Amino acid sequence: MVLQALIEELGAEESNLIKTIEAALSSEELESLRVKAIGKKGSLTKVLRGMGKLSPDDRPKLGAAANQARDRVNNALEHAKKRLENAALEAELKIQLDLSEPSAGLSLGSSHPIMQVQEEILSVMDRLGFQRAEGPEIEHDFYNFEALNFPHNHPARDMQDTFFVDENVVLRTHTSPIQIRQMLAQGEPPMHISGYGRVYRHDQDATHSPMFHQIEGLWVDHGVHLGHLKGTITAFLETLFTPETGVRFRPSYFPFTEPSAEVDMSCVMCGGSGVAHDPAANNEHGKCKMCKGTGWIEILGAGMVDPNVFGAVNFPKDIRGFAFGIGVERVAMLKYGISDIRMFYENDHRFLSQF
Ligand SMILES: [Zn+2]
């Protein structure tokens, strides 16, 4: 029977093709097999040429058998394609999981420049004999103002643009409430502390941020006088900056110290001469931009602790002490020559990774 013979030929050709397809190793090989099997001159098509020898009844039977064979070959091609794709993916994954491969390099994080400068200042104060102390950032009016000789309705409260939580609770405007808490906790002198942390004021421009960092020193002991304050601050600034740093005191006013002083140091840009070595650091009049040609820049506030403060914490009447406070951002800006305080808080990795 001719039909039977042709169908057997078809079957043999089909199983032959499927075996070859299953053994194929590349997609190129697969494509040439596809052409060879079901293209116009393909081996399955070739069997259909025997159609003429068949009776009209048998022809559709051979056609149906050929279609089925072609479907199975197509399936085999589809499977082989997936198999090759999976193998390629697995090979790629194997390479990615090769733990012995050298890495592309990791970028390590570092502490924020403000934290670095804070640590630097505190470590200088450690060496001068101050002990570190912290306190809450949300503070009672008593610790932030009242005990520091800012009576209610005193105009000095307007010096500090305060964020109020409610009538008697504020975001601390300075680190001085730490002094009060420490003195009350210890109950008696002596007291040698460096209070530090975040403080808040309603103020924002290129040199002020609503949140910034302060560090202050408090030294309370019998016989402490203005000379100790001057010597300590001079040693502090000479260590923090350079041994050549010039220091001068100007009379000022703070509610919690009497007498009070603003402390200036020689300009870090021009070394105190008023004219910077680098012409780009000078203004159009040829004067240093940083100090405007004066040779001095303001760096901290200081003074002898007001007796009213000791009264608020029940320290003996004859006790003496000095205190000074410094802005961490201010020091960082001077040390690194940064003119806009906001750069510290924009979290720009390109800026922060320079320190
Ligand atoms: Zn200068």
Side-chain angles (χ1 to χ4, degrees), residues 242-255:
T242 66
E244 292 75 36
T245 304
V247 180
R248 76 174 184 187
F249 289 68
R250 285 182 290 112
S252 185
Y253 168 77
F254 302 109

Side-chain angles (χ1 to χ4, degrees), residues 267 270 288 291:
C267 176
C270 62
C288 171
C291 62

Side-chain angles (χ1 to χ4, degrees), residues 160-211:
Q160 309 195 345
D161 301 291
T162 311
F163 286 114
F164 286 90
V165 176
D166 66 33
E167 205 187 330
N168 282 309
V169 179
V170 300
L171 296 187
R172 70 178 175 200
T173 56
H174 47 187
T175 42
S176 308
I178 298 172
Q179 299 181 5
I180 302 300
R181 286 180 173 273
Q182 292 284 321
M183 287 192 283
L184 281 171
Q186 188 175 300
E188 57 179 12
M191 191 98 234
H192 313 130
I193 57 161
S194 48
Y196 66 99
R198 296 189 193 97
V199 301
Y200 301 85
R201 292 188 197 185
H202 193 283
D203 202 355
Q204 187 166 23
D205 59 36
T207 54
H208 297 88
S209 158
M211 184 280 294

Side-chain angles (χ1 to χ4, degrees), residues 221-232:
D221 222 327
H222 292 279
V224 168
H225 54 72
L226 199 60
H228 294 114
L229 168 66
K230 203 172 175 191
T232 303

